[in-house]
Amino acid sequence: LTEAALGARHRELTRLRTLARDRSARDQAGLVVIDGPRAIDGALARAASIETLYVDVEAHGAAADVADRAAAGGIAVHQVAPGAIARAGDVRANAGVIALARRPERPTRDVLEHGDRWVVCAEINDPGNLGTLMRSAEAAGATGIVVAPGSVDAYNPKTVRASAGAVFGIVVLEEYIVTVLNDLAAHGVHRIGAVSEGGIAPWDCQPPGRVAVVLGHETRGLSGLPVDELVTVPMAGAAESLNVAMAGTVLLFDLFHRAESA
Amino acid sequence: LTEAALGARHRELTRLRTLARDRSARDQAGLVVIDGPRAIDGALARAASIETLYVDVEAHGAAADVADRAAAGGIAVHQVAPGAIARAGDVRANAGVIALARRPERPTRDVLEHGDRWVVCAEINDPGNLGTLMRSAEAAGATGIVVAPGSVDAYNPKTVRASAGAVFGIVVLEEYIVTVLNDLAAHGVHRIGAVSEGGIAPWDCQPPGRVAVVLGHETRGLSGLPVDELVTVPMAGAAESLNVAMAGTVLLFDLFHRAESA
């Protein structure tokens, strides 16, 4: 790779940095920043529309491998100067590979009428937790995840990375929480709210076939949102609480399995 | 705080840095490095023997609060120069507070004879995953966790931080894996191995009252270790696998609850 070719990437990398850091720039461009080999692999496995992949000329191992797979799949792969990706990405400094994908088409609220398993995030502030929940939701068989405005951006690069590609594997609906909860009720979906205390144990819950699990703020909880039932993961010992991603993972697997057996 | 007093901390902080980075130094000193306010809070809640707490003179919020609580509890609290903790700790740069605690007394293998819920980590390499598993294990009601030599150090500062104090709340046994699995069998504990494919679903498992969940390497799995039954968390969609901390969390809550109902 010539100095000139490396230099020519400069403007693209500046754009990449802006997209990685600025939600409104991402929204306007309709692009998703996918950081690191695992998330890119996950996106490829789910047939995400990856437009461009940037890989460090000195990348090796998983980063080089995923770039090879992307190139073999017809994706434009650009090599960039050593360290340039670490400076462009805001997420994990040394992954050595970063991709830009087209954002999946935004669904409308009508999507809630279909599908039997929903996850509703009322107020998840940590992008890593939201991404972990997306990964668990997909693995547990969710139709989709609702990300209310009180939560972090569903396409935050840290969320995308933690989702390991799951953000491309399930429906992602960004919509007001009360509207969603009312719609779900109107469509006959049983709304189960997760709270850190005062709910019944998930294994004492008998959900019907169609169910939505509603996850609130780490400490403020659900703040009186309209749900049909409250569940709490019982905790032993001095454990005050699991984080919302871990508690949510336990609940999604348990409750979706119970709903399936209903 | 005078310049002289700040300077006097220099040797202590050098020692702290060594302890944070060097397992054998920690082992020899019998000390645990606890990084950040949440983990320190968790250690206090579990009556860990905290000897010293270092707090940035400019710390505020959670870091300053936990230092105040520690001081009120009679723990020696030392203020240090701005940024000095970020340089001493190897873990999270800006927590602003770090503590040293005495390591809990090492249990012997005899401990496996007692207690009904064990978690056995054959080969967990990521300290964050191990810490998350400790937190889940405690919350799910585990007696203790076995950390085999193929795994990361149970008292790695990143593990301690991710455990949110749980490392002080359950028995931690560092012992060879096959020895432990044989001992558990001899004590009549049912050994359930978690594998990423080929096992039965946890909800099809009927564990007896005493149970050990055995977690292997992220990709190599259990490599033929002696267990009584294999379970697999069923995955939907394109999800290849959850990480070992998430899958383990699902299994611990589900299987320990089933064992309790046995």
Side-chain angles (χ1 to χ4, degrees):
Chain A
L1 205 62
T2 65
E3 283 296 313
L6 290 173
R9 300 280 177 247
H10 180 70
R11 283 189 55 185
E12 288 183 63
L13 287 171
T14 302
R15 177 168 168 257
L16 196 57
R17 184 183 304 123
T18 303
L19 290 169
R21 297 187 182 171
D22 180 350
R23 175 179 181 163
S24 64
R26 289 193 297 273
D27 285 351
Q28 214 169 338
L31 291 172
V32 185
V33 176
I34 317 174
D35 180 77
R38 181 161 56 182
I40 296 173
D41 255 335
L44 288 170
R46 289 160 183 85
S49 303
I50 299 182
E51 297 203 325
T52 318
L53 184 144
Y54 300 91
V55 61
D56 193 299
V57 286
E58 293 181 348
H60 55 274
D65 292 348
V66 76
D68 289 346
R69 277 193 294 281
I75 293 166
V77 172
H78 298 316
Q79 291 192 310
V80 297
I85 287 173
R87 291 189 296 276
D90 198 26
V91 184
R92 182 193 277 174
N94 298 309
V97 64
I98 198 161
L100 283 179
R102 292 227 64 80
R103 184 178 294 201
E105 206 171 321
R106 286 181 186 279
T108 63
R109 282 162 49 201
D110 302 341
V111 77
L112 295 170
E113 201 175 334
H114 313 289
D116 294 338
R117 313 268 180 276
W118 289 97
V119 183
V120 181
C121 299
E123 199 180 350
I124 307 291
N125 291 313
D126 181 81
N129 281 343
L130 181 59
T132 299
L133 282 169
M134 288 179 176
R135 191 174 176 189
S136 297
E138 185 194 53
T143 309
I145 191 163
V146 178
V147 182
S151 294
V152 68
D153 171 20
Y155 295 97
N156 179 301
K158 289 182 187 169
T159 303
V160 173
R161 176 160 68 83
S163 87
V167 69
F168 297 105
I170 53 176
V171 173
V172 176
L173 176 65
E174 294 174 298
E175 185 56 85
Y176 292 103
I177 183 75
V178 176
T179 309
V180 165
L181 293 175
N182 288 341
D183 280 4
L184 288 168
H187 298 315
V189 179
H190 188 69
R191 303 161 306 179
I192 303 177
V195 287
S196 61
E197 51 186 30
I200 62 169
W203 32 82
D204 293 329
C205 188
Q206 304 290 341
R210 303 191 65 206
V211 65
V213 177
V214 186
L215 304 165
H217 186 268
E218 295 257 5
T219 52
R220 283 195 294 280
L222 291 178
S223 317
L225 290 172
V227 295
D228 301 305
E229 196 169 18
L230 293 173
V231 296
T232 295
V233 179
M235 307 275 175
E240 274 174 51
S241 68
L242 297 175
N243 76 39
V244 69
M246 287 297 136
T249 299
V250 170
L251 289 175
L252 295 182
F253 275 91
D254 189 89
L255 293 171
F256 286 176
H257 165 64
R258 274 167 214 283
E260 208 165 89
S261 317
Chain B
L1 204 62
T2 65
E3 282 296 314
L6 290 173
R9 300 278 178 249
H10 180 70
R11 282 188 57 183
E12 286 183 63
L13 287 171
T14 302
R15 175 167 168 260
L16 195 56
R17 184 183 304 122
T18 303
L19 290 169
R21 297 187 183 171
D22 180 350
R23 175 179 181 164
S24 64
R26 290 193 297 272
D27 285 352
Q28 215 168 340
L31 291 172
V32 185
V33 176
I34 317 175
D35 180 76
R38 180 165 52 184
I40 296 172
D41 254 335
L44 288 169
R46 290 161 184 85
S49 303
I50 298 182
E51 297 204 323
T52 318
L53 184 143
Y54 301 91
V55 61
D56 193 299
V57 286
E58 294 181 349
H60 55 274
D65 292 348
V66 76
D68 289 346
R69 278 193 293 280
I75 293 167
V77 172
H78 298 316
Q79 290 193 308
V80 297
I85 286 172
R87 290 190 296 276
D90 198 25
V91 185
R92 182 192 277 176
N94 298 310
V97 63
I98 199 162
L100 283 178
R102 293 228 62 82
R103 183 177 296 201
E105 206 171 322
R106 286 181 186 279
T108 63
R109 282 163 47 201
D110 301 341
V111 77
L112 295 170
E113 201 175 335
H114 313 289
D116 293 338
R117 313 271 180 272
W118 288 96
V119 183
V120 181
C121 298
E123 199 179 350
I124 307 290
N125 291 314
D126 180 82
N129 280 343
L130 181 60
T132 300
L133 281 169
M134 288 178 175
R135 191 174 176 189
S136 296
E138 186 193 53
T143 310
I145 191 164
V146 178
V147 182
S151 293
V152 67
D153 172 20
Y155 294 97
N156 179 301
K158 290 182 189 172
T159 303
V160 173
R161 175 161 68 83
S163 86
V167 68
F168 297 105
I170 53 176
V171 173
V172 176
L173 175 65
E174 294 175 298
E175 185 56 85
Y176 291 102
I177 183 76
V178 175
T179 308
V180 165
L181 293 176
N182 288 341
D183 280 5
L184 288 169
H187 298 317
V189 178
H190 188 68
R191 303 161 305 179
I192 303 177
V195 286
S196 60
E197 52 187 30
I200 63 170
W203 32 83
D204 293 329
C205 189
Q206 304 290 342
R210 303 191 65 208
V211 66
V213 177
V214 186
L215 304 166
H217 186 269
E218 294 257 7
T219 53
R220 283 195 294 281
L222 290 178
S223 316
L225 289 171
V227 295
D228 300 306
E229 196 169 18
L230 293 173
V231 297
T232 296
V233 179
M235 308 275 174
E240 275 175 50
S241 67
L242 298 176
N243 76 39
V244 68
M246 295 156 69
T249 299
V250 169
L251 289 174
L252 295 182
F253 275 90
D254 188 87
L255 293 171
F256 286 176
H257 165 64
R258 274 165 215 284
E260 209 164 88
S261 318

